[in-house]
Amino acid sequence: MKFVDEYRDATAARRISELIRAKTTKPWKIMEICGGQTHSIVRFGIGELLPQEITLVHGPGCPVCVTPIEVIDRALAIASLNNVIFCTFADMLRVPGTSGDLFSIKGRGGDIRFMYSPLEALAIAKANPDKEVVFFAVGFETTAPATAMTAFQAKTENLSNFSLLVSHVLVPPAIEAILCPKNSGIQGFLAAGHVCTVMGYAEYEPLAKKYGVPIVVTGFEPIDILSGIYLCVKQLEEGRAEVENQYSRSVKREGAREAQALVNQVFEPTMRKWRGIGGIDRSGLKFRPDYEKLDAEIRFNVSLIEREEDSLCISGSILQGFKKPFECPAFGTSCTPEHPLGATMVSSEGACSAYYKYRRDDRETAFAEA
Ligand code: SF4
């Protein structure tokens, strides 16, 4: 298959791993930011192809994983109401709140629907004028334009029975938080290609300079990731800290300007809590005043719901590169995909689910099967 097979070629993967090996003279700690990259790394055994000096740690780039528990509880409170049709992406159904998840509300008769696009929820609102239809919008810069488009259309059409519970987050402020003085020693980053397709990568340039870390925009296939690691290691070994674009087949420096303009028209930056990490200034999006009528938090008066996270789950440490899933005492015992204790086990992009799903795979087989 063109544009996939060539990025999963085992011979090419070994050749790049040899280049990395030849370049590496000292230990380096590199974080891949995106959960999609984490899954590729674990699935294809990329860690095993690297010299032992290189440690890969997994970043906060999974929208389901970082949605704070209090927002899940706000979603549960709204979804429990009689007259509400609650719509969201499928991954959100099983993310545990303080008591239960959306799936359990569905089991008790709640009208919970999952979909691939918020525009589907808009269509449901038009078809059900006697119901309140709410879309739970999570995600990074990648999904924010679709949410903004949906809000724009709802406002344009003056739909009175539609609102959005918004928990969008932005990647660059999270990277800066991870690079703060108490950081986990991250020396280089693989930035998420799809996020940069929308936001571009100019925003990363001051961060690379300020903190002296290379940031390489990288795709999601094994060859993309190995190439990104090679570029990152090359910079580290040469004492450079720049932004490089491995994913040039999709990403431009300026990103998708029309999508950015739409997001900026509807939303403005706000402080947002990240599950397991805490509050990060200007790391989230909230409606601008013109769009506040669409804010489900205001409409259903749930913004005062605040919660503490379960202390058993160490996903916060995993998402900041301090620990790996195997280091969690609950991993694979009391916490499994069937009975998840934390969002990193629930999400299809979560680090814990990646380790649980692929840890027993034969690496050669994984390449052959891909
Ligand atoms: S294994 Fe479960 S409890 Fe442990 S960090 Fe992962 S999601 Fe949390």
Side-chain angles (χ1 to χ4, degrees):
M1 188 192 297
K2 193 153 170 53
F3 301 128
V4 175
D5 288 350
E6 60 269 52
Y7 293 102
R8 295 184 178 183
D9 182 84
T11 306
R14 288 194 190 90
R15 188 170 45 77
I16 302 167
S17 78
E18 282 311 313
L19 290 175
I20 297 169
R21 207 170 288 278
K23 201 48 127 175
T24 307
T25 66
K26 55 185 91 155
W28 300 115
K29 196 173 191 181
I30 297 170
M31 172 179 274
E32 87 279 356
I33 293 166
C34 171
Q37 292 169 331
T38 303
H39 269 250
S40 264
I41 286 167
V42 182
R43 176 182 177 191
F44 291 99
I46 286 173
E48 283 74 15
L49 292 173
L50 299 176
Q52 63 180 17
E53 290 90 343
I54 295 178
T55 305
L56 294 182
V57 290
H58 317 305
C62 161
V64 177
C65 302
V66 299
T67 302
I69 193 161
E70 60 202 34
V71 175
I72 303 294
D73 282 359
R74 289 170 196 168
L76 297 177
I78 297 169
S80 302
L81 298 172
N82 274 338
N83 202 37
V84 164
I85 300 174
F86 195 85
C87 308
T88 189
F89 300 125
D91 266 3
M92 298 307 295
L93 291 179
R94 295 188 58 236
V95 180
T98 306
S99 53
D101 54 23
L102 288 168
F103 209 64
S104 58
I105 290 178
K106 189 173 173 62
R108 293 198 296 271
D111 195 345
I112 317 283
R113 305 187 190 181
F114 73 87
M115 52 202 55
Y116 296 101
S117 162
L119 287 167
E120 292 174 57
L122 206 61
I124 291 172
K126 285 185 208 170
N128 295 273
D130 55 331
K131 297 273 187 181
E132 282 286 337
V133 177
V134 182
F135 185 78
F136 188 13
V138 301
F140 294 97
E141 287 87 340
T142 334
T143 50
T147 307
M149 172 56 79
T150 306
F152 176 79
Q153 284 206 11
K155 183 169 184 285
T156 305
E157 295 175 31
N158 208 15
L159 269 184
S160 60
N161 67 326
F162 181 73
S163 58
L164 298 112
L165 179 63
V166 173
S167 189
H168 279 295
V169 283
L170 305 170
V171 176
I175 292 185
E176 181 146 26
I178 286 170
L179 284 169
C180 79
K182 283 188 192 160
N183 73 36
S184 44
I186 313 296
Q187 292 157 298
F189 284 96
L190 305 183
H194 53 7
V195 167
C196 294
T197 301
V198 176
M199 65 164 260
Y201 56 83
E203 247 184 280
Y204 285 140
E205 289 166 352
L207 285 183
K209 197 170 170 192
K210 180 174 174 187
Y211 294 97
V213 291
I215 300 176
V216 180
V217 179
T218 307
F220 302 89
E221 296 296 337
I223 300 300
D224 288 321
I225 291 167
L226 283 162
S227 303
I229 293 167
Y230 173 69
L231 292 172
C232 197
V233 169
K234 191 163 180 282
Q235 283 200 49
L236 288 164
E237 291 283 346
E238 293 171 3
R240 292 184 290 119
E242 297 159 14
V243 180
E244 278 184 281
N245 183 13
Q246 182 278 331
Y247 203 43
S248 57
R249 65 185 185 278
S250 173
V251 171
K252 292 188 288 215
R253 182 175 180 273
E254 69 275 14
R257 289 224 164 106
E258 285 184 3
Q260 292 164 12
L262 185 59
V263 170
N264 288 335
Q265 180 181 332
V266 174
F267 296 115
E268 59 189 345
T270 186
M271 193 284 289
R272 181 75 66 189
K273 269 194 195 171
W274 293 52
R275 194 167 192 162
I277 298 176
I280 303 175
D281 197 28
R282 296 178 68 82
S283 70
L285 295 174
K286 69 169 184 177
F287 282 117
R288 290 189 183 275
D290 270 5
Y291 284 84
E292 269 179 359
K293 268 185 162 175
L294 292 166
D295 190 335
E297 267 189 36
I298 297 172
R299 186 174 300 197
F300 296 96
N301 197 22
V302 292
S303 53
L304 291 179
I305 295 176
E306 295 203 359
R307 297 282 189 266
E308 293 301 318
E309 291 169 38
D310 187 340
S311 59
L312 207 64
C313 178
I314 62 159
S315 61
S317 294
I318 293 169
L319 296 169
Q320 294 173 86
F322 290 108
K323 293 201 168 162
K324 295 231 182 179
F326 282 137
E327 294 174 68
C328 175
F331 178 84
T333 54
S334 52
C335 182
T336 63
E338 291 73 35
H339 300 286
L341 294 180
T344 44
M345 187 62 94
V346 175
S347 166
S348 61
E349 288 192 3
C352 296
S353 83
Y355 276 69
Y356 191 88
K357 192 169 178 188
Y358 298 119
R359 65 189 169 151
R360 291 176 296 268
D361 278 0
D362 178 300
R363 308 303 171 196
E364 301 299 320
T365 309
F367 263 115
E369 284 176 349

